[in-house]
Amino acid sequence: MVFARDTEMNLLAAAELVNTARRRDGHDALSTVADLDAYFTRWGYTGRHDRDDAEVAHVRAARDRIARLWDVERDEAAELVNAMLREADAVPHLVRHDAVDWHLHATVPGAALASVIVVETAMGVVDVVRSDEYARMRRCAGAGCRAVLVDLSRNRSRRFCDVNACGNRAHVAAYRARRAAHG
């Protein structure tokens, strides 16, 4: 494990959220209340979940803001994260709920889901920045892919996203190139 469990989950959830708009097929995978409901459940968010179109719009706006974190250098990321935390009046506190042991939350109970997502992402990025591991937040190396990823591998070797099958494409292309070179 590179970071604390909640940090890793926040980062992976953020990457998935950003990638809902970065699919090769052009489909936005966060366009309905059902899409947001599935995301909310999959990542174990707790608290307020309005389940309406306004909430989807707010989370999509948060997604655009979060996506910027993959487009900047470490120092600018620190500034963006500080702004996110400041605007949300974030106050980190330890909580334990459901089957999850002590971990950090930084929003008040009842905060809007978009705010929770932004703050939890920011809290995850705090750990990445302060441990000088910002290079783990990167873009997919797949040709023409715009997706993002968080490389949590031990040797920092992850290159491809999960959303567009880029790793498989690269491996197939390499295999075909080797076969062509050998006749």
Side-chain angles (χ1 to χ4, degrees):
M1 182 178 297
V2 178
F3 301 106
R5 181 184 179 280
D6 56 330
T7 295
E8 290 185 3
M9 296 301 285
N10 291 341
L11 296 170
L12 294 171
E16 181 181 312
L17 179 65
V18 170
N19 288 338
T20 60
R22 308 222 173 200
R23 295 167 49 108
R24 207 178 277 276
D25 64 8
H27 171 74
D28 188 328
L30 186 66
S31 55
T32 67
V33 171
D35 293 338
L36 181 58
D37 207 32
Y39 174 81
F40 179 90
T41 302
R42 187 169 39 262
W43 289 104
Y45 285 100
T46 58
R48 183 173 148 197
H49 180 26
D50 297 339
R51 294 179 173 85
D52 60 23
D53 290 333
E55 185 177 53
V56 172
H58 291 304
V59 171
R60 287 174 66 158
R63 173 184 68 187
D64 295 340
R65 188 170 187 200
I66 289 167
R68 280 209 61 222
L69 292 167
W70 274 267
D71 294 329
V72 298
E73 297 297 322
R74 180 175 175 238
D75 290 348
E76 188 174 349
E79 293 172 19
L80 291 173
V81 164
N82 284 339
M84 290 172 174
L85 295 172
R86 189 174 38 255
E87 290 167 18
D89 293 324
V91 178
H93 53 280
L94 288 166
V95 296
R96 181 169 48 192
H97 54 81
D98 305 322
V100 182
D101 200 8
W102 291 108
H103 60 283
L104 285 172
H105 281 206
T107 55
V108 296
L113 179 57
S115 181
V116 170
I117 292 170
V118 167
V119 168
E120 290 191 6
T121 298
M123 294 295 291
V125 176
V126 162
D127 283 347
V128 174
V129 169
R130 69 190 183 115
S131 62
D132 198 15
E133 293 286 350
Y134 202 71
R136 290 181 179 274
M137 294 179 60
R138 62 177 71 125
R139 294 233 175 244
C140 178
C145 186
R146 301 177 330 120
V148 301
L149 61 97
V150 180
D151 181 0
L152 297 176
S153 68
R154 243 185 190 163
N155 63 355
R156 296 171 183 83
S157 62
R158 184 162 176 221
R159 297 177 39 218
F160 301 106
C161 69
D162 293 330
V163 71
N164 291 317
C166 294
N168 188 48
R169 289 177 206 275
H171 291 100
V172 168
Y175 171 76
R176 289 181 179 156
R178 284 191 307 273
R179 284 202 59 191
H182 290 1

Coordinates of all heavy atoms in Angstrom, one line a residue, residues 23-90:
R23 N -14.2 8.9 -22.2 CA -14.3 7.6 -22.9 C -14.1 7.8 -24.3 O -14.4 8.7 -25.0 CB -15.7 7.0 -22.6 CG -15.9 6.7 -21.1 CD -17.4 6.4 -20.8 NE -17.9 5.5 -21.8 CZ -18.3 4.2 -21.5 NH1 -18.1 3.8 -20.3 NH2 -18.8 3.5 -22.4
R24 N -13.4 6.8 -24.9 CA -13.1 6.7 -26.3 C -14.3 6.8 -27.2 O -14.3 7.4 -28.3 CB -12.3 5.5 -26.6 CG -11.4 5.6 -27.8 CD -10.6 4.3 -28.0 NE -9.4 4.1 -27.2 CZ -8.2 4.6 -27.5 NH1 -8.0 5.4 -28.5 NH2 -7.2 4.4 -26.7
D25 N -15.4 6.2 -26.7 CA -16.7 6.2 -27.5 C -17.4 7.5 -27.4 O -18.5 7.6 -28.1 CB -17.5 5.0 -27.1 CG -18.1 5.1 -25.6 OD1 -17.9 6.2 -25.0 OD2 -18.6 4.1 -25.2
G26 N -17.0 8.5 -26.7 CA -17.6 9.8 -26.6 C -18.8 9.8 -25.6 O -19.4 10.9 -25.4
H27 N -19.2 8.7 -25.1 CA -20.4 8.6 -24.2 C -20.0 9.2 -22.8 O -18.9 8.8 -22.3 CB -20.9 7.2 -24.1 CG -21.9 7.0 -23.0 ND1 -23.2 7.4 -23.1 CD2 -21.8 6.4 -21.8 CE1 -23.9 7.1 -22.0 NE2 -23.0 6.5 -21.2
D28 N -20.8 10.0 -22.3 CA -20.6 10.5 -20.9 C -21.2 9.5 -19.9 O -22.4 9.3 -19.9 CB -21.2 11.9 -20.7 CG -20.8 12.5 -19.4 OD1 -20.7 11.8 -18.4 OD2 -20.7 13.7 -19.3
A29 N -20.4 8.8 -19.2 CA -20.9 7.8 -18.3 C -21.5 8.3 -17.0 O -21.7 7.6 -16.1 CB -19.8 6.8 -18.0
L30 N -21.6 9.6 -16.9 CA -22.3 10.3 -15.7 C -23.3 11.3 -16.2 O -23.1 12.5 -16.1 CB -21.2 11.0 -14.8 CG -21.8 11.5 -13.5 CD1 -22.2 10.4 -12.6 CD2 -20.7 12.4 -12.8
S31 N -24.3 10.7 -16.8 CA -25.3 11.6 -17.4 C -26.7 11.4 -16.8 O -27.6 12.2 -17.1 CB -25.4 11.4 -18.9 OG -25.6 10.0 -19.2
T32 N -26.9 10.4 -16.0 CA -28.2 10.2 -15.4 C -28.1 10.0 -13.9 O -27.0 9.8 -13.3 CB -28.8 8.9 -15.9 OG1 -28.1 7.7 -15.5 CG2 -28.9 8.9 -17.5
V33 N -29.2 10.1 -13.2 CA -29.3 9.9 -11.8 C -28.8 8.4 -11.5 O -28.1 8.2 -10.5 CB -30.7 10.2 -11.2 CG1 -30.8 9.7 -9.8 CG2 -31.0 11.6 -11.4
A34 N -29.2 7.5 -12.3 CA -28.8 6.1 -12.1 C -27.3 5.9 -12.2 O -26.7 5.2 -11.4 CB -29.5 5.2 -13.1
D35 N -26.6 6.7 -13.1 CA -25.2 6.6 -13.2 C -24.5 7.1 -11.9 O -23.6 6.5 -11.4 CB -24.7 7.5 -14.4 CG -25.1 7.0 -15.8 OD1 -25.4 5.8 -15.9 OD2 -25.1 7.9 -16.7
L36 N -25.0 8.3 -11.4 CA -24.5 8.8 -10.2 C -24.8 7.9 -9.0 O -23.9 7.7 -8.2 CB -25.1 10.2 -10.0 CG -24.5 10.9 -8.7 CD1 -23.0 11.1 -8.7 CD2 -25.2 12.3 -8.6
D37 N -26.0 7.3 -9.0 CA -26.3 6.4 -7.9 C -25.3 5.2 -7.9 O -24.9 4.8 -6.8 CB -27.7 5.9 -8.1 CG -28.4 5.6 -6.8 OD1 -28.1 6.2 -5.8 OD2 -29.3 4.7 -6.8
A38 N -25.0 4.7 -9.0 CA -24.1 3.6 -9.1 C -22.7 4.0 -8.6 O -22.0 3.2 -7.9 CB -24.0 3.0 -10.5
Y39 N -22.3 5.2 -9.0 CA -20.9 5.7 -8.6 C -20.9 5.9 -7.1 O -20.0 5.5 -6.4 CB -20.7 7.0 -9.3 CG -19.4 7.7 -8.9 CD1 -18.2 7.3 -9.4 CD2 -19.5 8.8 -8.0 CE1 -17.0 7.9 -9.0 CE2 -18.3 9.4 -7.5 CZ -17.1 9.0 -8.1 OH -15.9 9.6 -7.6
F40 N -21.9 6.5 -6.5 CA -22.1 6.7 -5.1 C -22.0 5.4 -4.3 O -21.2 5.3 -3.4 CB -23.4 7.4 -4.8 CG -23.8 7.7 -3.4 CD1 -23.4 8.9 -2.8 CD2 -24.4 6.7 -2.6 CE1 -23.7 9.2 -1.5 CE2 -24.7 7.0 -1.3 CZ -24.4 8.2 -0.7
T41 N -22.7 4.4 -4.8 CA -22.7 3.1 -4.1 C -21.3 2.4 -4.3 O -20.8 1.8 -3.3 CB -23.8 2.2 -4.7 OG1 -25.0 2.9 -4.5 CG2 -23.8 0.9 -4.0
R42 N -20.8 2.4 -5.5 CA -19.6 1.7 -5.8 C -18.4 2.2 -4.9 O -17.6 1.4 -4.5 CB -19.2 1.8 -7.3 CG -18.0 1.0 -7.7 CD -17.9 1.0 -9.3 NE -18.1 2.2 -10.0 CZ -19.3 2.5 -10.6 NH1 -20.3 1.6 -10.6 NH2 -19.4 3.6 -11.3
W43 N -18.4 3.5 -4.7 CA -17.2 4.0 -3.9 C -17.5 4.2 -2.5 O -16.7 4.8 -1.7 CB -16.8 5.3 -4.6 CG -16.1 5.0 -5.9 CD1 -16.6 5.1 -7.2 CD2 -14.8 4.4 -6.0 NE1 -15.6 4.6 -8.0 CE2 -14.5 4.2 -7.4 CE3 -13.8 4.0 -5.1 CZ2 -13.4 3.6 -7.9 CZ3 -12.7 3.4 -5.6 CH2 -12.4 3.2 -7.0
G44 N -18.7 3.8 -2.0 CA -19.0 3.8 -0.6 C -19.2 5.2 0.0 O -18.9 5.4 1.2
Y45 N -19.6 6.1 -0.8 CA -19.9 7.5 -0.2 C -21.0 7.3 0.8 O -21.9 6.5 0.7 CB -20.3 8.5 -1.3 CG -19.1 8.9 -2.1 CD1 -18.8 8.4 -3.3 CD2 -18.2 9.9 -1.6 CE1 -17.7 8.8 -4.1 CE2 -17.1 10.3 -2.3 CZ -16.9 9.8 -3.5 OH -15.8 10.2 -4.3
T46 N -21.0 8.2 1.8 CA -22.0 8.2 2.8 C -22.5 9.6 2.9 O -21.9 10.6 2.4 CB -21.5 7.8 4.2 OG1 -20.4 8.7 4.6 CG2 -20.9 6.4 4.2
G47 N -23.7 9.8 3.5 CA -24.2 11.1 3.7 C -25.3 11.4 2.7 O -25.9 10.5 2.1
R48 N -25.5 12.7 2.5 CA -26.5 13.2 1.6 C -26.4 12.7 0.2 O -25.3 12.8 -0.4 CB -26.5 14.7 1.7 CG -27.6 15.4 0.9 CD -27.6 16.8 1.2 NE -28.1 17.6 0.0 CZ -27.9 18.8 -0.1 NH1 -27.2 19.5 0.8 NH2 -28.3 19.4 -1.2
H49 N -27.4 12.3 -0.4 CA -27.5 11.9 -1.8 C -28.9 12.2 -2.3 O -29.8 11.4 -2.0 CB -27.1 10.4 -2.0 CG -27.1 9.9 -3.4 ND1 -26.9 10.7 -4.5 CD2 -27.3 8.7 -3.9 CE1 -26.9 10.0 -5.6 NE2 -27.2 8.7 -5.2
D50 N -29.0 13.3 -3.0 CA -30.4 13.8 -3.4 C -31.0 13.0 -4.5 O -32.3 13.1 -4.7 CB -30.3 15.3 -3.8 CG -29.8 16.2 -2.7 OD1 -29.9 15.8 -1.5 OD2 -29.3 17.3 -3.0
R51 N -30.3 12.3 -5.3 CA -30.8 11.5 -6.4 C -31.7 12.3 -7.4 O -32.9 11.9 -7.6 CB -31.6 10.3 -5.9 CG -30.7 9.3 -5.2 CD -31.5 8.1 -4.6 NE -30.6 7.1 -4.1 CZ -30.1 7.1 -2.9 NH1 -30.3 8.1 -2.0 NH2 -29.3 6.1 -2.5
D52 N -31.2 13.4 -7.8 CA -31.9 14.2 -8.8 C -31.0 14.8 -9.9 O -29.8 14.7 -9.7 CB -32.8 15.3 -8.1 CG -31.9 16.3 -7.3 OD1 -30.7 16.5 -7.6 OD2 -32.5 17.0 -6.4
D53 N -31.6 15.4 -10.9 CA -30.8 15.9 -12.0 C -29.9 17.1 -11.6 O -28.8 17.2 -12.1 CB -31.7 16.4 -13.2 CG -32.4 15.2 -13.9 OD1 -31.8 14.1 -13.8 OD2 -33.5 15.4 -14.4
A54 N -30.3 17.9 -10.6 CA -29.5 19.0 -10.1 C -28.2 18.4 -9.5 O -27.1 19.0 -9.7 CB -30.3 19.8 -9.1
E55 N -28.3 17.4 -8.8 CA -27.2 16.8 -8.1 C -26.2 16.2 -9.2 O -25.0 16.4 -9.1 CB -27.6 15.7 -7.2 CG -26.4 15.1 -6.4 CD -26.8 14.0 -5.4 OE1 -27.5 13.1 -5.8 OE2 -26.4 14.2 -4.2
V56 N -26.7 15.6 -10.2 CA -25.9 15.1 -11.3 C -25.1 16.3 -12.0 O -23.9 16.2 -12.2 CB -26.7 14.4 -12.4 CG1 -25.9 14.1 -13.6 CG2 -27.4 13.1 -11.8
A57 N -25.8 17.4 -12.2 CA -25.2 18.6 -12.8 C -24.1 19.1 -11.8 O -23.0 19.5 -12.3 CB -26.2 19.7 -13.0
H58 N -24.3 19.2 -10.5 CA -23.3 19.6 -9.6 C -22.1 18.7 -9.6 O -20.9 19.2 -9.5 CB -23.9 19.8 -8.2 CG -24.9 20.9 -8.1 ND1 -24.6 22.2 -8.4 CD2 -26.2 20.9 -7.7 CE1 -25.7 23.0 -8.2 NE2 -26.6 22.2 -7.8
V59 N -22.3 17.4 -9.6 CA -21.2 16.5 -9.6 C -20.4 16.6 -10.9 O -19.2 16.5 -10.9 CB -21.7 15.0 -9.3 CG1 -20.6 14.0 -9.5 CG2 -22.2 15.0 -7.9
R60 N -21.1 16.8 -12.0 CA -20.4 16.9 -13.3 C -19.5 18.2 -13.3 O -18.4 18.2 -13.8 CB -21.4 16.9 -14.4 CG -21.9 15.6 -14.7 CD -23.0 15.6 -15.8 NE -22.4 15.9 -17.0 CZ -23.0 15.7 -18.2 NH1 -24.1 15.0 -18.2 NH2 -22.4 16.0 -19.3
A61 N -20.0 19.3 -12.7 CA -19.2 20.5 -12.5 C -18.0 20.2 -11.6 O -16.9 20.7 -11.9 CB -20.1 21.6 -12.0
A62 N -18.2 19.5 -10.5 CA -17.1 19.1 -9.7 C -16.1 18.2 -10.4 O -14.9 18.4 -10.3 CB -17.7 18.3 -8.4
R63 N -16.6 17.4 -11.3 CA -15.7 16.5 -12.1 C -14.8 17.3 -12.9 O -13.6 17.1 -13.0 CB -16.6 15.6 -13.0 CG -15.8 14.8 -14.0 CD -16.7 14.0 -14.9 NE -17.5 14.9 -15.8 CZ -18.5 14.4 -16.6 NH1 -18.8 13.2 -16.6 NH2 -19.1 15.3 -17.4
D64 N -15.3 18.4 -13.6 CA -14.5 19.3 -14.4 C -13.4 19.9 -13.5 O -12.3 20.1 -14.0 CB -15.3 20.3 -15.1 CG -16.3 19.7 -16.1 OD1 -16.1 18.5 -16.5 OD2 -17.3 20.4 -16.5
R65 N -13.8 20.3 -12.3 CA -12.8 21.0 -11.4 C -11.7 20.0 -11.0 O -10.5 20.3 -11.0 CB -13.5 21.5 -10.3 CG -12.7 22.4 -9.4 CD -13.5 23.1 -8.3 NE -12.7 24.0 -7.6 CZ -13.0 24.5 -6.4 NH1 -14.1 24.2 -5.9 NH2 -12.2 25.3 -5.8
I66 N -12.1 18.8 -10.7 CA -11.2 17.7 -10.2 C -10.3 17.3 -11.4 O -9.1 17.1 -11.1 CB -12.0 16.5 -9.7 CG1 -12.7 16.9 -8.3 CG2 -11.1 15.3 -9.5 CD1 -13.7 15.9 -7.9
A67 N -10.8 17.3 -12.6 CA -10.0 16.9 -13.7 C -8.7 17.8 -13.9 O -7.7 17.3 -14.4 CB -10.8 16.9 -15.0
R68 N -8.9 19.0 -13.5 CA -7.7 20.0 -13.6 C -6.5 19.5 -12.8 O -5.4 19.8 -13.2 CB -8.1 21.4 -13.1 CG -8.8 22.1 -14.1 CD -8.7 23.6 -14.0 NE -7.3 24.1 -14.1 CZ -6.7 25.1 -13.4 NH1 -7.4 25.6 -12.4 NH2 -5.5 25.4 -13.6
L69 N -6.7 18.7 -11.8 CA -5.6 18.2 -11.0 C -4.6 17.3 -11.8 O -3.5 17.2 -11.4 CB -6.1 17.4 -9.8 CG -6.9 18.3 -8.7 CD1 -7.6 17.4 -7.7 CD2 -5.9 19.2 -8.0
W70 N -5.1 16.7 -12.9 CA -4.3 15.9 -13.7 C -3.5 16.8 -14.8 O -2.7 16.2 -15.5 CB -5.0 14.8 -14.4 CG -5.1 13.6 -13.5 CD1 -4.3 12.5 -13.5 CD2 -6.1 13.3 -12.5 NE1 -4.7 11.6 -12.6 CE2 -5.8 12.0 -12.0 CE3 -7.2 14.0 -12.0 CZ2 -6.6 11.4 -11.0 CZ3 -8.0 13.4 -11.0 CH2 -7.6 12.2 -10.5
D71 N -3.9 18.0 -14.9 CA -3.3 18.9 -15.9 C -2.3 19.9 -15.4 O -1.9 20.8 -16.2 CB -4.5 19.6 -16.6 CG -5.4 18.7 -17.4 OD1 -4.9 17.7 -17.9 OD2 -6.6 19.0 -17.5
V72 N -2.0 19.8 -14.2 CA -1.1 20.8 -13.6 C 0.1 20.1 -12.9 O 0.1 18.9 -12.7 CB -1.8 21.7 -12.5 CG1 -3.0 22.5 -13.2 CG2 -2.3 20.8 -11.4
E73 N 1.1 20.9 -12.6 CA 2.3 20.5 -11.9 C 1.9 20.5 -10.4 O 0.9 21.0 -9.9 CB 3.5 21.4 -12.2 CG 3.9 21.4 -13.6 CD 4.4 20.0 -14.1 OE1 5.1 19.3 -13.3 OE2 4.1 19.7 -15.2
R74 N 2.8 19.8 -9.6 CA 2.6 19.6 -8.2 C 2.3 20.9 -7.4 O 1.4 21.0 -6.6 CB 3.8 18.9 -7.6 CG 3.8 18.7 -6.2 CD 5.0 17.8 -5.8 NE 5.1 17.7 -4.3 CZ 6.1 18.0 -3.6 NH1 7.1 18.6 -4.1 NH2 6.0 17.8 -2.3
D75 N 3.1 22.0 -7.7 CA 2.9 23.2 -6.9 C 1.5 23.9 -7.2 O 0.9 24.4 -6.3 CB 4.0 24.2 -7.3 CG 5.4 23.8 -6.7 OD1 5.4 22.9 -5.9 OD2 6.4 24.4 -7.1
E76 N 1.1 23.8 -8.5 CA -0.2 24.3 -8.8 C -1.3 23.5 -8.2 O -2.4 23.9 -7.8 CB -0.4 24.5 -10.3 CG -1.7 25.2 -10.6 CD -1.8 25.5 -12.1 OE1 -0.9 25.4 -12.9 OE2 -3.0 26.0 -12.5
A77 N -1.1 22.2 -8.2 CA -2.0 21.2 -7.6 C -2.2 21.6 -6.1 O -3.4 21.6 -5.6 CB -1.6 19.8 -7.7
A78 N -1.1 21.9 -5.4 CA -1.3 22.3 -4.0 C -2.1 23.5 -3.9 O -3.0 23.6 -3.0 CB 0.1 22.6 -3.4
E79 N -2.0 24.5 -4.8 CA -2.8 25.7 -4.7 C -4.3 25.4 -5.0 O -5.2 25.9 -4.3 CB -2.3 26.7 -5.7 CG -1.0 27.3 -5.4 CD -0.4 28.2 -6.5 OE1 -1.2 28.6 -7.4 OE2 0.8 28.4 -6.6
L80 N -4.5 24.5 -6.0 CA -5.9 24.1 -6.3 C -6.6 23.4 -5.1 O -7.7 23.6 -4.8 CB -5.9 23.2 -7.5 CG -5.6 23.9 -8.8 CD1 -5.5 22.8 -10.0 CD2 -6.6 24.9 -9.2
V81 N -5.8 22.5 -4.5 CA -6.3 21.7 -3.4 C -6.6 22.6 -2.2 O -7.7 22.5 -1.6 CB -5.3 20.6 -3.0 CG1 -5.6 20.0 -1.6 CG2 -5.3 19.5 -4.0
N82 N -5.7 23.6 -1.9 CA -6.0 24.5 -0.8 C -7.2 25.3 -1.1 O -8.0 25.5 -0.2 CB -4.8 25.5 -0.7 CG -3.6 24.8 0.0 OD1 -3.8 23.8 0.7 ND2 -2.4 25.3 -0.2
A83 N -7.4 25.7 -2.3 CA -8.7 26.5 -2.7 C -9.9 25.6 -2.5 O -10.9 26.0 -1.9 CB -8.6 27.0 -4.1
M84 N -9.8 24.3 -2.9 CA -11.0 23.4 -2.7 C -11.3 23.3 -1.3 O -12.5 23.3 -0.9 CB -10.6 22.1 -3.3 CG -10.6 22.0 -4.8 SD -9.9 20.4 -5.4 CE -10.1 20.5 -7.2
L85 N -10.3 23.1 -0.5 CA -10.6 22.8 1.0 C -11.1 24.1 1.7 O -12.0 24.1 2.5 CB -9.3 22.3 1.7 CG -8.8 20.9 1.2 CD1 -7.4 20.6 1.8 CD2 -9.8 19.9 1.5
R86 N -10.5 25.2 1.3 CA -10.9 26.5 1.9 C -12.3 26.9 1.5 O -13.1 27.2 2.4 CB -9.9 27.6 1.4 CG -10.1 28.9 2.0 CD -9.0 30.0 1.6 NE -8.6 29.9 0.2 CZ -7.4 29.4 -0.2 NH1 -6.6 28.8 0.6 NH2 -7.2 29.4 -1.5
E87 N -12.7 26.7 0.2 CA -14.0 27.0 -0.2 C -15.1 26.2 0.5 O -16.2 26.6 0.6 CB -14.1 26.9 -1.7 CG -13.4 28.0 -2.4 CD -13.2 27.7 -3.9 OE1 -13.9 26.9 -4.5 OE2 -12.3 28.4 -4.5
A88 N -14.7 24.9 0.8 CA -15.7 24.0 1.5 C -15.7 24.1 3.0 O -16.4 23.4 3.6 CB -15.4 22.6 1.0
D89 N -14.8 25.0 3.5 CA -14.7 25.1 5.0 C -14.4 23.8 5.6 O -14.9 23.4 6.6 CB -15.9 25.7 5.6 CG -16.1 27.2 5.3 OD1 -15.2 27.9 5.1 OD2 -17.3 27.6 5.1
A90 N -13.5 23.0 4.9 CA -13.2 21.7 5.3 C -12.5 21.7 6.6 O -11.5 22.4 6.9 CB -12.3 21.0 4.2

